[in-house]
């Protein structure tokens, strides 16, 4: 199937093991940086506490809110 794409002038995908080995340290470094950033964010959010306050407008809801909608009338009367 890949040969058919190449014959038709389509994109080719080739993997060179040497290139993968050369890129591995970069992925390891970036992976560690991402993990460190995530850990820092989690710690910061934990230290900040809950996102709601104690006043009436920002109190954590105890029951889920539900909305009841009634269908609009779509009938038209002609004069």
């Amino acid at each position: 199937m890949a040969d058919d794409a190449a014959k038709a002038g389509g994109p080719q995908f080739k993997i060179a093991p040497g290139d993968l080995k050369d890129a591995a340290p970069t992925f390891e470094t970036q992976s560690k940086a991402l993990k460190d950033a995530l850990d820092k964010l989690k710690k910061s959010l934990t230290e900040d506490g809950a996102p709601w306050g104690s006043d009436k407008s920002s109190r954590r809801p105890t029951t889920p809110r539900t909305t009841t909608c009634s269908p609009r009338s779509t009938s038209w009367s002609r004069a």
Side-chain angles (χ1 to χ4, degrees):
M1 189 183 271
D3 292 334
D4 293 339
K7 289 177 187 175
Q12 294 181 358
F13 183 74
K14 295 181 181 178
I15 297 175
D19 292 343
L20 290 176
K21 287 180 182 179
D22 291 344
T26 301
F27 281 101
E28 185 176 355
T29 302
Q30 296 304 322
S31 175
K32 184 181 179 325
L34 183 59
K35 182 187 179 310
D36 291 345
L38 178 61
D39 290 343
K40 184 177 178 181
L41 175 62
K42 284 181 180 179
K43 183 179 183 247
S44 177
L45 291 174
T46 300
E47 289 173 354
D48 285 346
W52 36 78
S54 59
D55 61 324
K56 185 178 178 181
S57 65
S58 63
R59 193 171 42 240
R60 181 180 185 178
T62 56
T63 57
R65 295 181 183 204
T66 58
T67 305
T68 305
C69 298
S70 58
R72 292 180 137 181
S73 174
T74 56
S75 60
W76 295 83
S77 60
R78 293 186 181 183

